[in-house]
């Protein structure tokens, strides 16, 4: 009974994660990137490069998956893809936090709080994507925590290298955005489309809209 209930929750939360991933890419990461990057054409090419990078990553994971011993409970590749994209995103957040502390303690604390509140719904969505991908609840929590540690790494790198890392951080934004777009559009949406029941499809649509709405709300509160 508990397993069936968990599957129902995952069904809704994966839809919410789709909205969150699309919303984070198009509402947060890409506007921030284009605000800092004046050459729009070159910026668009960076985003396409991010999408293609995750396409190549998935191909590599598929190849590796076919050349290792199968387990009793195989992990859907979207889980690993999501961890990579989220790790990149968290590293960027850490760089931003580190840079804000270089300005002043007050700005640093405010930025840290903003990033934390921004990441709560995002990380919750990531957790359910990992569950959907076949991770156990324990492993999903551990890997999600390890992914979050990249924010700490980004903060340390930013504080040590200062402005020298700013260009690197800017270049990573479209990579993370491209990863989120690829994962949501290529891996998660096709899975949602396997559901043909009208009521459940409406629930999916509402959950996707809610995920986008949460990202928009966070932007309005910034």
């Amino acid at each position: 009974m508990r397993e069936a209930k968990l599957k129902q929750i995952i069904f809704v939360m994966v839809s919410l994660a789709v909205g969150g991933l699309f919303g984070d890419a198009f509402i947060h990461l890409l506007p921030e990137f284009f605000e800092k990057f004046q050459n729009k054409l070159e910026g668009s090419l960076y985003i396409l490069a991010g999408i293609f990078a995750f396409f190549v990553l998935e191909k590599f994971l598929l190849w590796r998956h076919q050349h290792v011993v199968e387990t009793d409970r195989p992990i859907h590749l979207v889980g690993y893809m999501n961890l990579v994209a989220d790790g990149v995103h968290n590293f960027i957040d850490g760089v931003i936090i580190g840079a804000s502390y270089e300005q002043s303690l007050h700005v640093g604390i405010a930025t840290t709080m903003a990033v934390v509140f921004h990441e709560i719904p995002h990380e919750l969505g990531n957790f359910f994507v990992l569950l959907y991908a076949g991770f156990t609840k324990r492993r999903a929590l551990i890997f999600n925590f390890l992914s979050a540690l990249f924010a700490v790494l980004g903060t340390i790198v930013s504080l040590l290298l200062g402005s020298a890392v700013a260009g690197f951080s800017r270049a990573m934004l479209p990579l993370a955005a491209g990863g989120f777009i690829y994962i949501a559009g290529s891996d998660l949406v096709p899975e949602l489309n396997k559901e043909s029941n009208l009521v459940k499809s409406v629930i999916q649509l509402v959950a996707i809209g809610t995920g986008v709405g949460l990202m928009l709300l966070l932007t309005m509160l910034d």
Side-chain angles (χ1 to χ4, degrees):
M1 181 66 181
R2 291 179 59 186
E3 192 71 22
K5 191 69 175 177
L6 181 60
K7 287 181 179 179
Q8 291 179 357
I9 295 173
I10 292 175
F11 161 77
V12 176
M13 293 305 295
V14 168
S15 302
L16 187 67
V18 168
L21 289 171
F22 277 136
D24 207 7
F26 287 104
I27 296 174
H28 294 145
L29 297 181
L30 294 183
E32 181 180 347
F33 173 67
F34 279 114
E35 182 181 342
K36 298 177 179 178
F37 205 90
Q38 299 303 318
N39 190 323
K40 306 302 181 186
L41 176 59
E42 190 175 349
S44 296
L45 292 177
Y46 272 109
I47 297 164
L48 287 173
I51 294 174
F52 287 137
F54 276 84
F55 171 75
V56 172
L57 174 62
E58 186 166 36
K59 285 293 185 181
F60 171 76
L61 290 174
L62 281 169
W63 174 83
R64 184 178 182 279
H65 183 69
Q66 292 170 356
H67 289 79
V68 297
V69 179
E70 297 290 337
T71 61
D72 293 334
R73 189 176 184 182
I75 301 297
H76 197 294
L77 293 182
V78 68
Y80 297 115
M81 299 281 289
N82 191 66
L83 283 172
V84 172
D86 191 45
V88 172
H89 185 198
N90 288 334
F91 180 84
I92 294 169
D93 282 342
V95 170
I96 294 171
I97 290 173
S100 69
Y101 276 103
E102 288 186 339
Q103 297 181 40
S104 72
L105 179 61
H106 174 74
V107 173
I109 293 175
T111 302
T112 301
M113 295 300 295
V115 169
V116 168
F117 285 120
H118 161 77
E119 284 300 309
I120 289 175
H122 180 76
E123 294 301 331
L124 184 62
N126 286 337
F127 173 71
F128 279 96
V129 168
L130 293 180
L131 289 183
Y132 163 78
F135 285 74
T136 63
K137 283 179 283 224
R138 177 183 173 82
R139 289 192 68 200
L141 286 171
I142 291 174
F143 277 96
N144 217 23
F145 174 73
L146 292 176
S147 174
L149 288 180
F150 276 88
V152 179
L153 177 62
T155 302
I156 294 173
V157 169
S158 180
L159 291 173
L160 290 177
L161 300 182
S163 59
V165 80
F168 176 73
S169 171
R170 182 175 60 191
M172 296 294 279
L173 283 172
L175 180 63
F180 288 159
I181 293 169
Y182 182 86
I183 291 167
S186 176
D187 291 314
L188 296 182
V189 169
E191 291 299 313
L192 296 183
N193 282 335
K194 292 178 181 179
E195 180 56 67
S196 58
N197 180 274
L198 178 60
V199 174
K200 290 185 177 180
S201 296
V202 170
I203 293 174
Q204 286 179 334
L205 186 60
V206 171
I208 292 172
T210 302
V212 173
L214 283 173
M215 295 299 112
L216 182 60
L217 179 62
L218 287 170
T219 299
M220 295 170 64
L221 292 175
D222 283 346

